[in-house]
Amino acid sequence: MIGVLPLQPDRPGRSGLPVRSGVPAIRAGTGGAALPEPGQRWIDRAALGLTAAACLAYLWVALAASRKPYWMDEVLAVWTARRGSVAAVWEALRQGAEFSPPLYHVLLRAILAAGFDDPVILRLPSILAIAVVALAAFVLARRRFTLPVACLALVFCLSGPLVTYAIQARPYAGVAACFALACLLWDGPAARPVSGRRALGIALLLALAVGMHFYAILLAAALGLMELVWMLRHRRIRWPIVLALLAAAASLLLWLPIMRAVSAYNHGDTAAPDYYARPTIERLVATYVEMAGGDDLLPPAPLVILLAAIGARLLAGRRGGARADGLGPVAGIICAVPLLVFAFAAVVTGTFNARYVIVTVLGVSLLVAQGVAAHRRSDVIACALIGVSAAALLWTAGRPWTFRREAAIDLATRAPAGLPIATGNGLRFFEIYDGVDRATRSRLAFLQVPDLSRSPDPTNDHQVARWARIDPALPIGPMDAFLAAHPEFLLYTDTTVPDQAADLLRERGYAAAPVLARAGMSLQLVRRPTAGRPDPDASRR
């Protein structure tokens, strides 16, 4: 006889701890099949529909923004990938073309070799990588919570600062995706032995991340902390996981020649008094604010979701705490990655930046899911918050974006004909040179000042100097030689970026008259001082 089966008791979860089944009561006459109530089915469908809208809006935003010109770091990555061979890529990195291992550049080189030299195509791996991070958040949450709550974790990843890194031809999104997939493989049932394939997958993913960025070694350390917590809880050692982590860490030795060269170049940058990426408490706090609440590219939907999740958890009290099934330590360690990287930067490298720790968003998304799931109306709350994220993404998709580099490229393109265009701004030099047509490019020149000791942060000037050695065809040369050959020229300046060349020209008495201006940037017609006007630096030259 078919009847109503008894409710399922608490079962051991993925971490071996009791966890509420979360399975709806089985309805009579179903032959033992668990069916959600009609109201729950509608909530699940609403969550899926809103999530689909958010995903489509994310793709729209990412693809639209990917049509924009490259910013400086992307220019460096693409130029490095365009070197003639893998050996040439290696040599360029050894000379300081980029401060990273070669695997990401090899990927870009493969795309370029297939004939796809387009910003959208070269940024597509990053767009897909952030989608992988979001799917990983969904799976980790779905293993423990209901469908709407898992969808919320996914949408949280797509509506925050990760979008900024999805639209960059840079390795950061790929590193985050590798770590997220490694976490998925690590998060297996406590009672199931770790298979060789599972351990190999973790090792390969983390090694791939290390091969794209040196700081990814700290992500392997974070996963090691997660495993340490697991071992302390279960009082046994999973040797396949331990060996996988050791193998991933050992992969760093493959890139030792590049790492040694990069270390020397990095020391020359970090010694500057106003180095842009110095590890400070203010920068650490700003990083957490960005990872948890979003950046200025999108509306602050992540902040709204985070605050709502905190509120739901506080209202629930102790309800639902066991349902997390060991997720708290995992999410907490991922959220602590900025602390780990900050400590490493303060002691070893002297460089800390939010882009090194974007995996933090994965941890925050899991904490959000845990907080919302604790409330008895978790599915309704999750649907409402998914709607907030979807609305924010759709609003963003409907408004035009303009980056400052676009304005700089536009100024150079509209420059009056007949005169060279010079700048001492390293950031804009790379962006303008890569973004303008061939005719405008032939007029560009970067002015190397004779003394960088007065610059508060010569990082970009150092990068220009390294590329002058890597590619001698670039129009980079001493400022004095350029001034001797050109009594008149156009000078590009940007009030938001230090420019030692512009400052030195003013000190030497060069007259400048604005020709074009836009958003704090300008092209100025510069003339050599008259014979009767003294040159303050003449004696030094």
Side-chain angles (χ1 to χ4, degrees):
M1 181 178 69
I2 299 175
V4 179
L5 298 179
L7 295 178
Q8 296 183 5
D10 286 351
R11 55 178 172 80
R14 303 186 72 82
S15 63
L17 299 176
V19 56
R20 298 175 186 174
S21 65
V23 178
I26 298 172
R27 298 165 63 187
T30 63
L35 293 177
E37 296 297 330
Q40 182 63 45
R41 286 200 298 268
W42 280 109
I43 292 176
D44 289 349
R45 290 171 183 172
L48 289 174
L50 290 169
T51 301
C55 291
L56 290 175
Y58 161 76
L59 288 175
W60 180 277
V61 169
L63 292 174
S66 293
R67 297 186 179 94
K68 303 294 185 177
Y70 300 121
W71 77 285
M72 186 189 81
D73 284 12
E74 292 180 287
V75 172
L76 302 182
V78 174
W79 285 9
T80 302
R82 286 176 181 160
R83 308 302 292 172
S85 63
V86 173
V89 170
W90 179 281
E91 181 59 23
L93 291 173
R94 198 184 62 80
Q95 295 183 54
E98 279 251 77
F99 287 6
S100 61
L103 290 190
Y104 181 74
H105 306 90
V106 171
L107 170 64
L108 291 184
R109 185 177 180 278
I111 296 173
L112 292 168
F116 300 107
D117 192 352
D118 180 80
V120 175
I121 301 300
L122 292 179
R123 286 164 171 155
L124 190 59
S126 294
I127 295 174
L128 297 177
I130 294 304
V132 167
V133 175
L135 287 173
F138 173 85
V139 174
L140 288 169
R142 188 68 182 100
R143 287 171 176 174
R144 297 161 171 86
F145 308 126
T146 59
L147 178 64
V149 173
C151 288
L152 176 61
L154 182 153
V155 171
F156 183 89
C157 291
L158 297 182
S159 61
L162 291 185
V163 176
T164 301
Y165 301 94
I167 58 175
Q168 297 184 24
R170 300 291 293 147
Y172 309 115
V175 169
C178 288
F179 177 75
L181 292 176
C183 289
L184 278 184
L185 291 178
W186 177 87
D187 183 55
R192 187 179 74 185
V194 178
S195 66
R197 287 186 298 179
R198 183 174 155 200
L200 179 62
I202 292 174
L204 290 177
L205 286 166
L206 292 177
L208 180 59
V210 171
M212 289 189 285
H213 202 279
F214 291 120
Y215 271 64
I217 191 67
L218 299 176
L219 299 182
L223 198 59
L225 289 175
M226 290 160 56
E227 181 63 16
L228 179 61
V229 171
W230 190 97
M231 289 190 296
L232 292 175
R233 174 177 292 174
H234 297 88
R235 299 186 180 183
R236 60 188 174 93
I237 299 175
R238 297 191 293 185
W239 287 110
I241 300 291
V242 173
L243 293 175
L245 294 172
L246 291 176
S251 70
L252 185 65
L253 298 175
L254 295 172
W255 322 120
L256 196 57
I258 296 176
M259 187 169 62
R260 286 175 174 170
V262 164
S263 177
Y265 297 133
N266 184 64
H267 177 72
D269 292 340
T270 57
D274 291 340
Y275 177 56
Y276 80 100
R278 191 177 307 282
T280 62
I281 297 298
E282 293 79 5
R283 187 175 298 277
L284 176 63
V285 172
T287 296
Y288 268 111
V289 171
E290 178 182 342
M291 295 299 109
D295 55 18
D296 56 1
L297 188 63
L298 295 172
L303 181 60
V304 173
I305 294 174
L306 179 61
L307 293 176
I310 294 173
R313 188 66 184 87
L314 292 175
L315 290 174
R318 295 186 177 182
R319 287 180 52 84
R323 295 180 64 188
D325 188 16
L327 186 65
V330 174
I333 289 173
I334 298 175
C335 289
V337 165
L339 296 175
L340 181 63
V341 174
F342 180 84
F344 182 79
V347 175
V348 180
T349 64
T351 299
F352 177 80
N353 199 295
R355 53 180 176 254
Y356 305 153
V357 298
I358 64 173
V359 298
T360 309
V361 177
L362 173 63
V364 177
S365 73
L366 298 177
L367 291 180
V368 164
Q370 185 176 350
V372 172
H375 198 277
R376 63 190 183 92
R377 299 291 185 186
S378 60
D379 291 347
V380 175
I381 296 173
C383 282
L385 295 177
I386 294 171
V388 170
S389 289
L393 284 166
L394 289 170
W395 179 83
T396 304
R399 68 185 182 97
W401 287 0
T402 301
F403 297 101
R404 289 190 65 83
R405 59 184 180 271
E406 293 181 86
I409 292 169
D410 176 65
L411 280 179
T413 303
R414 296 191 294 116
L419 292 175
I421 306 170
T423 185
N425 184 325
L427 172 72
R428 299 296 180 220
F429 168 75
F430 284 116
E431 295 171 348
I432 294 172
Y433 190 86
D434 188 79
V436 297
D437 55 69
R438 183 174 299 180
T440 305
R441 189 177 300 161
S442 66
R443 301 168 58 193
L444 287 175
F446 181 84
L447 307 182
Q448 292 180 301
V449 298
D451 182 14
L452 283 175
S453 62
R454 296 189 301 170
S455 175
D457 185 4
T459 301
N460 293 335
D461 300 270
H462 291 162
Q463 193 67 63
V464 172
R466 287 190 288 268
W467 267 97
R469 294 189 294 270
I470 295 168
D471 186 357
L474 289 172
I476 301 169
M479 176 178 175
D480 290 334
F482 178 87
L483 295 179
H486 301 283
E488 286 190 347
F489 59 93
L490 297 172
L491 179 70
Y492 169 84
T493 61
D494 186 337
T495 57
T496 65
V497 183
D499 188 335
Q500 294 298 302
D503 295 340
L504 191 55
L505 286 170
R506 282 192 292 269
E507 290 180 11
R508 293 183 178 182
Y510 277 72
V515 176
L516 294 172
R518 180 178 176 184
M521 295 171 280
S522 66
L523 276 178
Q524 300 177 2
L525 177 61
V526 179
R527 291 187 174 92
R528 184 183 298 166
T530 59
R533 178 177 293 180
D535 184 346
D537 282 348
S539 59
R540 279 185 281 177
R541 297 201 305 274

